[in-house]
Amino acid sequence: MEEAQKQADVFLELRQRLQSGLLVLRSDVTGDPSDVAVSGGDASLLISMPREVLCVELPPGVTLIEGSCREVSNTPGEGLHLRLRLQVDQHTEAPGSVMKRVQIEKSYGFSCQRCGERVLTERVFQRVLPLPNGNWNALVEDWCCHPDPFANRKLLPRPGDCLLGDTYFLLARDDECDQTLAQEPSPAPTDVSHNQDSRQKPSSKPSVTCRSCGATLGEAVAAETLKLYITEVTVMQKDEERDDDTVRQSRWLFLERTIAARLVELSSTQSMFRFSLQTPSGKPFILLWLLNTDSLVASHSSPAVGSDASVVPGDGLHIQHRSCAASSAIKVLYLLCAPSMHQDITDAWEKDVGVHPLVLPQTTCQEVMHLLTASTSRLPPPLRRMNSYQVAFMRL
């Protein structure tokens, strides 16, 4: 993550639905704005600067309308801002999360995402059912005119079931689990500090960990039931070729894409756009506000790591030719729930039933925090904040 802490020389955001885009070039990169030219290529955007030509690869069906680029502002310290118009013939579809890929009558293997070790093999599900969303208990009073009929009842899977929560799978244990998974007792309760809500109690459920690397994969919600978080395991069909690059892909990229895809699904199916990322104890960790899901984002810094580059001499100057690709991404506002900071906003979100809780292990919440702050640090300074919230992009 170290390379993500520097602001990018070039930042590009394209909005497919609005058919417009924003290009921001750092002041020390552009020099004289008259030396900057933007043109459309074959499924690409060409950005010509005094010492560099950057080719941004675009998805099929997205092209620049020639002559539409215009300067919006050029302020020292904030860079050169240019507006673009696009022609979008084909929208890029957001990939579905793992929740959408699990089907009945097919064999699946579950692996620890961190070390790649297979922890569950040949799981064939007879039923794949969604669980009620995270707010359902709070809404029961609006549904019923008599005492809560669901009180003290648990929704647990039978053998052959896969129950889908917002961020986890509920599965029945079998003998294989004792060989690949370990169970650790929950931490002892501690006194609630003055900075914590008294309603937030330590999780009483034992943790389920990978025997190979010790990573926390979920919880034991009952004697014969496992909860495995979608951010901690990879799921593959038995007949899929086992690709170590896929199983052991970058933790950061896996986490980013998994959460982004899930936010898109929840916003689409349940019209939820505000989320409270919480630890298993119920403590809010990050407040997330989903702004849009149709962005194509590219950023570039010199020297570009992992991009094609060539040097073309001309007029005594060496012109660097580099390339990068625009990736589908979601745009979010976020607020870190630090003690004594923005407490009024945090309290208002906690009381709002329109805010959707998403529970993840505490270590994963910390990783998401680092992902978001790293994304913010790459943005041009004027684009990093909206009122009290910070801005970030998450790739799909």
Side-chain angles (χ1 to χ4, degrees):
M1 297 293 287
E2 292 79 2
E3 70 277 5
Q5 304 307 315
K6 180 184 176 183
Q7 178 193 340
D9 295 345
V10 178
F11 172 78
L12 175 69
E13 181 192 7
L14 305 178
R15 292 291 308 276
Q16 296 180 85
R17 291 194 182 95
L18 300 180
Q19 300 192 30
S20 66
L22 174 65
L23 173 64
V24 183
L25 308 176
R26 261 182 27 194
S27 301
D28 58 339
V29 174
T30 59
D32 187 345
S34 63
D35 294 334
V36 176
V38 180
S39 60
D42 183 15
S44 64
L45 193 68
L46 298 177
I47 306 169
S48 299
M49 295 168 283
R51 288 186 170 273
E52 186 172 13
V53 175
L54 177 64
C55 176
V56 181
E57 299 170 8
L58 302 178
V62 180
T63 55
L64 173 72
I65 296 178
E66 292 296 341
S68 67
C69 182
R70 62 182 179 86
E71 180 179 331
V72 177
S73 64
N74 183 23
T75 306
E78 296 188 358
L80 175 62
H81 291 232
L82 302 170
R83 282 286 178 188
L84 317 171
R85 290 179 58 202
L86 307 172
Q87 180 175 332
V88 181
D89 300 322
Q90 177 183 339
H91 289 270
T92 304
E93 294 293 330
S97 75
V98 65
M99 298 291 196
K100 296 295 185 182
R101 299 197 296 270
V102 178
Q103 303 175 18
I104 62 173
E105 304 293 345
K106 293 187 178 180
S107 180
Y108 293 92
F110 291 71
S111 301
C112 171
Q113 196 280 323
R114 296 176 188 267
C115 71
E117 188 70 20
R118 187 64 61 89
V119 294
L120 298 176
T121 60
E122 297 188 19
R123 284 290 181 118
V124 179
F125 301 118
Q126 305 305 316
R127 299 193 304 172
V128 178
L129 303 173
L131 290 165
N133 73 58
N135 270 341
W136 76 279
N137 274 319
L139 298 174
V140 165
E141 291 182 1
D142 297 329
W143 297 341
C144 306
C145 57
H146 46 77
D148 182 1
F150 307 106
N152 301 319
R153 293 190 180 184
K154 295 182 179 180
L155 299 176
L156 300 178
R158 302 170 184 171
D161 285 354
C162 178
L163 304 187
L164 307 176
D166 289 330
T167 57
Y168 58 85
F169 304 99
L170 277 188
L171 307 172
R173 289 183 65 98
D174 58 16
D175 294 338
E176 179 188 21
C177 297
D178 296 330
Q179 307 299 318
T180 59
L181 298 172
Q183 189 168 304
E184 298 182 359
S186 59
T190 57
D191 294 335
V192 178
S193 70
H194 67 279
N195 288 326
Q196 292 178 310
D197 191 326
S198 59
R199 293 171 296 178
Q200 297 163 4
K201 299 178 181 179
S203 176
S204 59
K205 300 179 180 65
S207 298
V208 172
T209 61
C210 170
R211 283 192 182 274
S212 176
C213 68
T216 298
L217 305 182
E219 301 172 355
V221 297
E224 300 301 323
T225 303
L226 294 173
K227 173 193 284 188
L228 298 180
Y229 289 104
I230 60 173
T231 55
E232 312 308 314
V233 294
T234 55
V235 183
M236 298 179 65
Q237 287 190 33
K238 181 183 177 181
D239 55 359
E240 284 185 282
E241 184 176 346
R242 187 177 173 87
D243 184 347
D244 287 340
D245 290 336
T246 300
V247 174
R248 302 190 187 193
Q249 67 175 297
S250 163
R251 169 64 181 169
W252 302 108
L253 182 59
F254 172 84
L255 183 60
E256 183 177 13
R257 287 179 170 170
T258 298
I259 293 179
R262 196 66 187 122
L263 293 182
V264 171
E265 288 175 352
L266 291 171
S267 67
S268 175
T269 60
Q270 301 185 29
S271 296
M272 295 286 185
F273 301 95
R274 291 185 297 157
F275 303 89
S276 175
L277 196 62
Q278 303 178 358
T279 64
S281 66
K283 178 183 178 182
F285 203 92
I286 305 171
L287 304 182
L288 286 170
W289 197 331
L290 181 61
L291 288 187
N292 60 266
T293 61
D294 66 330
S295 289
L296 296 171
V297 176
S299 60
H300 164 77
S301 294
S302 298
V305 178
S307 66
D308 298 328
S310 60
V311 178
V312 179
D315 298 330
L317 294 176
H318 290 285
I319 307 300
Q320 297 283 341
H321 284 245
R322 302 187 185 276
S323 65
C324 64
S327 304
S328 297
I330 63 172
K331 185 177 184 178
V332 298
L333 302 181
Y334 69 95
L335 194 66
L336 305 179
C337 299
S340 72
M341 290 182 61
H342 308 294
Q343 195 61 46
D344 54 338
I345 299 177
T346 303
D347 291 343
W349 279 50
E350 282 193 78
K351 297 173 184 176
D352 192 339
V353 295
V355 176
H356 198 78
L358 296 177
V359 178
L360 291 173
Q362 180 160 334
T363 54
T364 304
C365 290
Q366 292 169 342
E367 289 175 320
V368 175
M369 178 187 68
H370 291 311
L371 275 172
L372 294 172
T373 55
S375 173
T376 302
S377 70
R378 291 194 295 268
L379 297 178
L383 305 183
R384 293 178 182 177
R385 300 192 71 88
M386 286 189 184
N387 298 325
S388 299
Y389 299 89
Q390 292 180 286
V391 180
F393 289 88
M394 302 181 74
R395 289 168 293 179
L396 286 163

